[in-house]
Amino acid sequence: MFSRLGAPEILLILVVFILVFGAKRLPDMARSLGQSMRILKTETRAMRAREDETTADPPPARTDSADDVSPEHAALGRHQTSTPTPFRDTVEPR
């Protein structure tokens, strides 16, 4: 459908845009479109990086033993565990 879009057609589209939006608003619209594209691009890269991190092989699980206890935690009676504590994004009730 759009495979035969040549120079005259593109020029006609630009003239229609100038008539509809005005010559003063076109640079602002192009600038905001460019910023939106840049934001979309960075967010897409960040999502791919997070996905790559989560799909990577996890490190081997540690087993708790007396050797895994640091001196600071041993004094407090706390032992290091192989699993992290779950993240809570909710507020504790009062």
Side-chain angles (χ1 to χ4, degrees), residues 49-83:
R50 282 192 297 260
E51 182 179 314
D52 290 343
E53 289 174 2
T54 58
T55 58
D57 291 332
R62 292 182 10 193
T63 58
D64 287 341
S65 67
D67 297 334
D68 291 338
V69 179
S70 66
E72 300 88 27
H73 288 109
L76 296 173
R78 296 182 185 159
H79 300 282
Q80 294 176 348
T81 60
S82 61
T83 57

